[in-house]
Amino acid sequence: MSISWPNFPKAKIPATIGRLQLPRYCRNGLHSFRNLPRTLTTLWLHDCALTNQNLNLSETLTTLLLVRIGLARVPTGLPASLRVVIFGGNNITTVDGELEHLVKLWNLDMEKNQLTKWPDRLPSCLVQLNLRYNFIAFLPSEAFVKFKNLTLLTLDHNRLLNYPLNLPVPDAIILLRYNRIRTIRNYRYCNKCTVDVQDNPLVCNEDLFQFITWMTQHAHKLYMNGWCRPYLSSVTSSEQREEIFRFIDYYTVELGCEYHVESLICNNRNLTTAPLPSPFSFQDILDLGHNHLTELPDSIYRNQTFLLKIALDNNQLREIPYGLPHEFLTTLWLRRNRITHVTRRNGDEFVRMRKLHTLDLGENLIKMVDPYDFRGLSNLRLLRVDSNPFDCQCKIFFFAMWIEENLAEAQLLNYQETIYLPSCATPKEYQHRPISTLVRIFPYVCMDGSCYYEPVTDVHCSYNPNALSPYNKIAVSGMIGNEGIFASPSVNGTLTITNSNWTDSDLVNITNIQFFNIDLSNNLLTEFPWRIFGEFTEVVDLSSNMITNLPPTNLLVNFTRIRSINFTNNLIKIINPESIQTLHVVPVVSLRGNPLSCSCEQRPLMTWLESIRDRLLDNSTEMSYGSGIHDMTCEDPDMLKGKKMLDEANVEFDQYCPIRVFNQTRLIIKITTIALVSIIILSIFLNCYLARKRKQRESQNIILGFKQLLSKESEIDDVTVSYKYDAFVSYANQEEDFVCSLIKELEEKRQRKMSFHQRDFIAGLSIVDNIVECIGNSSRVILIISDDFIRSSWCQYEVQVALATMHKRRRGKLLVPILVQGKKKEGMVRGNTKTILSEIAAITAPAKHVRDDVTIWKNFCDQVDQNLPPTNANNFVA
């Protein structure tokens, strides 16, 4: 039976009760347990005040719970029968043998007491021991030797500096969370045990590395978090182990920092140079505060991609470091340095810091902040720029606007939900004034050198180029655009935007503004900004820009009131023909300081200047245009550099730059030349084609002639026939000199009758008939064989066959081959010629250089003459 008895000890408790709970009704004090029944096994007393701590409880009691009853020491008189004792939530400071006699005790719970040292002389039979939420700082080396059955040891939330030693139970559960353990040694008793060392400031040294190695191989489970967790994934790599140890020594020994793999704490270490980055990415904080750093090399910590916080406060940095990790960075402390401004590349890097919510730039030397540099910080919740010497000139107007906008949206709150408002340091009249309040003053009042607005009429936005940004430009263009507050100012108003690095794209949203005077000098414009002009615009200053051309006249048709345009110090070199009339339409056009060319490309302008030159130089003539032309000077060519263009626009200009004539005659000449060249080329191809055809036809005729000659030969009896010629000479034209000499020798000195085609072919007869006539009436055929002869039509296969057949029919007395050029017969001939001559003895002609030798020439002619028929053997026919 179990019962909660609020009236104890006044009322008598039933004798059969087994479990008794005495709750908070005894706050006035409980003095004794004299009326407890003998059958009671469990006594639970909580939220009471026990004044007599000598309990003298019954020996039948096995479970005792004395919770939150104000015990200052362990009660006496506890029965040896107790198995479970819970003293939680009391004020016990020491245990000194009061529980040693409890030989059956297996569960002792002393959670949330005031123990400062390990309990002495606990019973060795304990299985579970809970001492969490105490103040124990040290565990004796022999404290657990006698606990042969201890399977659960809970020491969470103490102040332990060392790891439990010599636990005899290999599979115990050891809970050590939220202590102060830095180093772990003597753990090898653990086999299949479960260890939880989360939230301890473990030092990532070799001891811890060995501990993790052992646990991953032998323990059942190991729970770790925080600094040293990356070791769990690195224990198998010996190379990584050496790298870890090297950086541990570098950070901890050499620099004196705290290195926990996931963080590096080098606060107040008198560092003058930044520590080298770790090969293992920090995942929490990089703290280099309170040192003497003057700069950080660009991108030195870029590989620490998982870094959440960077502390660089209290150093001597002159600028915000560039190349910081941006993927996960949430906090950047740069307070108390010597930073003078936020650079444009810092602003570009801030764009990538999407998760940054805290940026502290307070107590530096910043005089101007450009809100454009903060455009990408969408999650920014705390921006501290207080205690900087801000110069509250008009150029800070847009920063003031930006602060006011973000204050309205409650986006710049710190952790206490208060706002750190930056204030002015200069000028004196604004000293200590919050910058955000200036938005109500600047539209009407301004200091020198910056942007000011006089109500409705004038807008002056001349900035320091270093302080200007697209944020400012967008804001200005919105004010003076079609729907801005200055969209319809007085016709006498002035728009001034100078020294501001404005480009053509910055003027896109500004069109048709109604200002009398527009000053856009000293910017970066490359084109004439005609779209911004209104119907009342009269004076335009575009000096010191990068404009390269005058506007075409048609762009100025609608702006009839423009009387002056200043193009001084631009990049105009050539004035196009369509732009020349601009000098005629606009009364005053200043082009001083432009690199105007006086080369031939400038002829249209020089011609126009020559036409008006006399009137411009005549002071008695009043002209409505041309003012400024007198100041136009030549930049090139070198011989005219520095001279007035108006002086050079005369007849002499035509002498060194003559007018190029281009008319129909020139075109006709060009076309005629192309036509003639085409005809010549066509004629060459046609002649080649006809020559080839002619040669083919000649070859066919020669073959046909020899076939007919062969047919005629078959009908003649060689014994009775008489021939008109001793021999027909066949040769190539290239051997004409040699042949003429031979024929002259044979005819004049040896009385031979010779025949050859150039002399004896009858005009009007075909080649076929001439071959039949001359060769058929010749007793012999002399072949002057040379390279040219072999390539000629006379050496064709069919001709050679016919000659060979006739040679046989005439009993080997027809052909007389002569080899010229001194070449051997076998090396000279080829193909069918070689086949024919293989059976005919050939005569070798003397070489050219010995033909003048009378003896050699006579011997050669004798050989030839001997192969001809005897002179008395021929019956010449008329």
Side-chain angles (χ1 to χ4, degrees):
M1 181 178 180
S2 177
I3 189 171
S4 176
W5 200 257
N7 294 324
F8 180 82
K10 295 181 181 180
K12 186 177 181 180
I13 300 175
T16 58
I17 193 75
R19 174 186 173 93
L20 177 62
Q21 178 179 358
L22 302 177
R24 63 193 65 182
Y25 303 104
C26 56
R27 289 179 180 175
N28 292 328
L30 183 63
H31 302 284
S32 66
F33 294 93
R34 288 176 297 177
N35 296 327
L36 293 178
R38 293 293 180 178
T39 59
L40 190 65
T41 59
T42 300
L43 176 60
W44 185 1
L45 178 63
H46 63 92
D47 298 292
C48 282
L50 185 62
T51 58
N52 184 2
Q53 295 189 7
N54 186 4
L55 302 183
N56 292 320
L57 298 173
S58 170
E59 291 295 334
T60 61
L61 197 65
T62 59
T63 302
L64 177 62
L65 293 85
L66 301 178
V67 181
R68 295 187 302 276
I69 63 173
L71 292 177
R73 58 182 179 82
V74 177
T76 58
L78 299 178
S81 59
L82 286 175
R83 298 174 60 84
V84 177
V85 173
I86 299 176
F87 290 153
N90 288 286
N91 299 316
I92 300 174
T93 58
T94 59
V95 177
D96 189 16
E98 293 89 346
L99 303 175
E100 189 176 13
H101 66 287
L102 303 180
V103 295
K104 296 182 179 181
L105 187 66
W106 67 275
N107 184 356
L108 175 60
D109 186 343
M110 299 189 69
E111 178 180 324
K112 294 183 180 179
N113 276 275
Q114 303 294 320
L115 296 175
T116 57
K117 66 176 184 177
W118 176 253
D120 192 22
R121 292 184 292 170
L122 294 176
S124 61
C125 55
L126 283 175
V127 177
Q128 298 181 9
L129 176 59
N130 181 8
L131 298 174
R132 73 172 64 190
Y133 289 101
N134 280 281
F135 301 92
I136 301 172
F138 180 72
L139 298 176
S141 59
E142 303 298 326
F144 301 97
V145 174
K146 63 180 180 180
F147 298 115
K148 305 297 183 182
N149 301 312
L150 189 64
T151 59
L152 176 61
L153 175 62
T154 305
L155 290 168
D156 295 345
H157 294 275
N158 276 275
R159 298 180 179 180
L160 292 177
L161 299 175
N162 64 325
Y163 185 79
L165 305 177
N166 303 321
L167 260 71
V169 181
D171 57 350
I173 299 174
I174 306 172
L175 306 180
L176 300 169
R177 296 188 63 177
Y178 293 101
N179 279 282
R180 301 178 182 180
I181 301 173
R182 295 171 59 85
T183 303
I184 299 179
R185 298 187 179 93
N186 298 323
Y187 45 77
R188 296 183 182 273
Y189 58 81
C190 182
N191 190 8
K192 296 182 180 181
C193 64
T194 298
V195 177
D196 188 349
V197 290
Q198 297 183 80
D199 303 296
N200 279 274
L202 297 171
V203 177
C204 300
N205 52 21
E206 187 172 359
D207 290 333
L208 182 66
F209 190 89
Q210 299 295 344
F211 168 72
I212 295 173
T213 303
W214 173 270
M215 288 297 174
T216 54
Q217 295 174 357
H218 298 87
H220 177 62
K221 285 185 179 180
L222 173 63
Y223 296 95
M224 284 182 61
N225 65 352
W227 318 126
C228 304
R229 189 174 183 180
Y231 277 160
L232 292 175
S233 61
S234 305
V235 293
T236 58
S237 172
S238 60
E239 294 180 359
Q240 286 186 328
R241 180 187 310 175
E242 294 178 1
E243 188 76 0
I244 290 173
F245 293 159
R246 186 170 69 85
F247 271 90
I248 288 173
D249 291 341
Y250 168 67
Y251 289 134
T252 59
V253 178
E254 185 175 339
L255 299 182
C257 303
E258 295 182 21
Y259 175 53
H260 306 292
V261 177
E262 291 188 355
S263 69
L264 178 63
I265 312 297
C266 293
N267 192 291
N268 200 15
R269 290 296 185 271
N270 294 320
L271 299 179
T272 57
T273 57
L276 296 175
S278 169
F280 304 95
S281 180
F282 306 136
Q283 294 184 11
D284 187 49
I285 184 172
L286 171 64
D287 187 352
L288 302 178
H290 294 271
N291 285 288
H292 304 291
L293 303 176
T294 58
E295 63 176 356
L296 256 67
D298 288 352
S299 304
I300 184 173
Y301 298 118
R302 175 60 62 82
N303 68 324
Q304 309 296 319
T305 54
F306 298 100
L307 199 59
L308 299 178
K309 303 174 183 177
I310 297 178
L312 294 166
D313 56 294
N314 293 277
N315 279 281
Q316 304 294 322
L317 297 176
R318 297 184 181 90
E319 62 178 20
I320 299 174
Y322 178 74
L324 298 176
H326 53 263
E327 288 86 348
F328 299 98
L329 191 66
T330 62
T331 304
L332 179 58
W333 287 300
L334 293 163
R335 195 171 190 84
R336 296 190 186 92
N337 280 278
R338 304 185 65 82
I339 298 170
T340 58
H341 62 285
V342 181
T343 64
R344 185 52 44 85
R345 68 174 187 167
N346 293 142
D348 294 340
E349 189 169 63
F350 285 157
V351 172
R352 297 191 292 270
M353 295 182 181
R354 300 295 184 184
K355 296 186 178 182
L356 190 71
H357 59 67
T358 299
L359 176 60
D360 191 346
L361 292 168
E363 298 186 53
N364 278 280
L365 303 177
I366 300 173
K367 293 185 177 182
M368 171 66 191
V369 172
D370 187 345
Y372 182 74
D373 294 330
F374 302 142
R375 63 193 182 278
L377 301 178
S378 56
N379 289 317
L380 193 63
R381 294 296 176 267
L382 172 62
L383 173 63
R384 295 197 63 169
V385 289
D386 54 294
S387 302
N388 278 283
F390 283 108
D391 182 14
C392 291
Q393 305 290 341
C394 288
K395 60 188 177 184
I396 208 168
F397 172 63
F398 295 104
F399 181 49
M401 290 178 57
W402 186 81
I403 293 176
E404 187 177 60
E405 291 172 3
N406 284 276
L407 290 179
E409 298 175 7
Q411 289 186 344
L412 298 179
L413 302 179
N414 74 342
Y415 300 115
Q416 290 78 33
E417 297 186 357
T418 58
I419 300 172
Y420 292 96
L421 291 177
S423 57
C424 301
T426 56
K428 187 175 181 180
E429 57 266 29
Y430 294 119
Q431 198 170 24
H432 306 302
R433 181 168 188 157
I435 294 177
S436 58
T437 62
L438 299 177
V439 296
R440 295 184 290 274
I441 300 174
F442 279 7
Y444 305 101
V445 180
C446 188
M447 285 68 66
D448 295 334
S450 196
C451 179
Y452 70 88
Y453 311 94
E454 294 179 3
V456 181
T457 59
D458 294 342
V459 180
H460 293 265
C461 300
S462 300
Y463 295 89
N464 181 336
N466 294 328
L468 193 73
S469 73
Y471 183 93
N472 306 41
K473 297 176 184 178
I474 293 170
V476 170
S477 63
M479 293 179 197
I480 62 180
N482 287 335
E483 299 179 358
I485 59 175
F486 296 101
S488 300
S490 168
V491 295
N492 294 322
T494 299
L495 170 63
T496 304
I497 303 176
T498 63
N499 300 307
S500 304
N501 293 340
W502 280 54
T503 62
D504 301 319
S505 60
D506 296 323
L507 298 175
V508 171
N509 297 323
I510 307 177
T511 58
N512 195 28
I513 55 176
Q514 305 303 316
F515 285 95
F516 165 80
N517 187 354
I518 297 177
D519 185 356
L520 297 175
S521 59
N522 289 283
N523 283 290
L524 301 176
L525 304 179
T526 60
E527 297 179 354
F528 185 71
W530 61 273
R531 292 182 179 85
I532 73 172
F533 301 152
E535 58 180 320
F536 300 107
T537 302
E538 294 189 14
V539 179
V540 179
D541 188 351
L542 297 172
S543 60
S544 299
N545 277 280
M546 303 175 70
I547 299 172
T548 57
N549 291 301
L550 283 183
T553 309
N554 60 343
L555 294 182
L556 302 176
V557 171
N558 297 325
F559 311 115
T560 57
R561 297 195 179 191
I562 293 182
R563 56 182 176 83
S564 176
I565 304 178
N566 186 359
F567 287 106
T568 301
N569 296 324
N570 275 275
L571 301 177
I572 300 172
K573 184 175 182 180
I574 301 295
I575 298 179
N576 300 321
E578 60 269 18
S579 302
I580 291 176
Q581 285 301 312
T582 299
L583 301 173
H584 188 88
V585 172
V586 180
V588 179
V589 178
S590 178
L591 291 167
R592 287 196 320 274
N594 282 275
L596 293 170
S597 174
C598 290
S599 63
C600 295
E601 294 180 77
Q602 201 72 280
R603 171 164 288 284
L605 174 63
M606 301 299 283
T607 303
W608 181 77
L609 290 177
E610 185 178 359
S611 66
I612 65 169
R613 181 172 179 273
D614 294 338
R615 282 179 290 170
L616 288 174
L617 296 178
D618 187 359
N619 295 328
S620 63
T621 303
E622 184 176 350
M623 300 183 64
S624 61
Y625 64 91
S627 180
I629 294 178
H630 297 80
D631 299 326
M632 295 165 55
T633 59
C634 300
E635 183 66 23
D636 67 78
D638 292 339
M639 62 180 179
L640 299 178
K641 187 172 183 179
K643 294 185 178 182
K644 300 289 186 182
M645 296 187 75
L646 194 60
D647 296 338
E648 300 303 320
N650 51 38
V651 179
E652 294 181 2
F653 183 79
D654 294 334
Q655 296 177 359
Y656 68 85
C657 190
I659 299 176
R660 297 179 181 177
V661 178
F662 185 81
N663 49 32
Q664 290 187 343
T665 303
R666 187 175 179 184
L667 179 62
I668 292 172
I669 294 174
K670 183 179 291 186
I671 294 174
T672 303
T673 302
I674 294 173
L676 288 174
V677 172
S678 301
I679 292 172
I680 293 172
I681 294 174
L682 183 61
S683 300
I684 292 173
F685 279 106
L686 183 59
N687 287 333
C688 292
Y689 174 76
L690 294 176
R692 184 177 179 183
K693 287 294 184 181
R694 185 167 53 251
K695 187 174 182 180
Q696 291 177 352
R697 188 163 54 251
E698 178 185 351
S699 299
Q700 293 173 358
N701 290 333
I702 291 174
I703 293 171
L704 182 60
F706 274 95
K707 286 183 177 179
Q708 292 184 9
L709 179 62
L710 185 61
S711 176
K712 181 180 178 180
E713 282 283 324
S714 63
E715 300 174 358
I716 298 176
D717 187 359
D718 188 47
V719 178
T720 60
V721 70
S722 61
Y723 297 98
K724 183 178 179 179
Y725 305 107
D726 286 318
F728 177 82
V729 183
S730 177
Y731 63 94
N733 293 332
Q734 289 80 359
E735 305 298 334
E736 185 176 357
D737 293 340
F738 169 72
V739 172
C740 290
S741 299
L742 178 61
I743 292 174
K744 183 178 180 181
E745 172 73 23
L746 293 175
E747 287 186 337
E748 294 181 358
K749 295 182 179 181
R750 300 177 188 268
Q751 289 77 43
R752 295 290 185 179
K753 183 65 174 177
M754 308 299 291
S755 174
F756 58 98
H757 68 280
Q758 286 188 345
R759 184 185 69 185
D760 298 316
F761 275 16
I762 300 172
L765 289 181
S766 65
I767 294 178
V768 177
D769 295 335
N770 277 308
I771 289 175
V772 173
E773 176 65 25
C774 292
I775 299 179
N777 291 321
S778 299
S779 176
R780 301 286 188 269
V781 175
I782 298 175
L783 301 178
I784 308 300
I785 300 174
S786 65
D787 286 336
D788 298 311
F789 178 79
I790 291 172
R791 290 190 290 268
S792 69
S793 300
W794 291 91
C795 200
Q796 296 178 87
Y797 174 75
E798 293 84 351
V799 174
Q800 298 303 318
V801 170
L803 290 173
T805 304
M806 292 172 62
H807 186 71
K808 289 182 179 180
R809 286 182 179 178
R810 296 192 185 186
R811 297 178 180 87
K813 296 181 179 181
L814 174 65
L815 300 178
V816 181
I818 297 175
L819 301 180
V820 299
Q821 299 177 356
K823 296 183 180 180
K824 299 296 183 181
K825 180 175 68 174
E826 293 297 328
M828 178 68 218
V829 297
R830 62 176 183 271
N832 298 301
T833 307
K834 179 179 178 180
T835 303
I836 294 170
L837 297 181
S838 62
E839 298 178 358
I840 304 173
I843 301 171
T844 302
K848 288 183 179 182
H849 65 280
V850 296
R851 287 177 186 174
D852 294 335
D853 190 307
V854 177
T855 303
I856 295 175
W857 178 253
K858 181 177 180 301
N859 292 335
F860 166 70
C861 291
D862 289 343
Q863 285 184 285
V864 175
D865 187 62
Q866 291 172 5
N867 283 277
L868 298 179
T871 55
N872 58 359
N874 288 331
N875 298 317
F876 296 101
V877 285

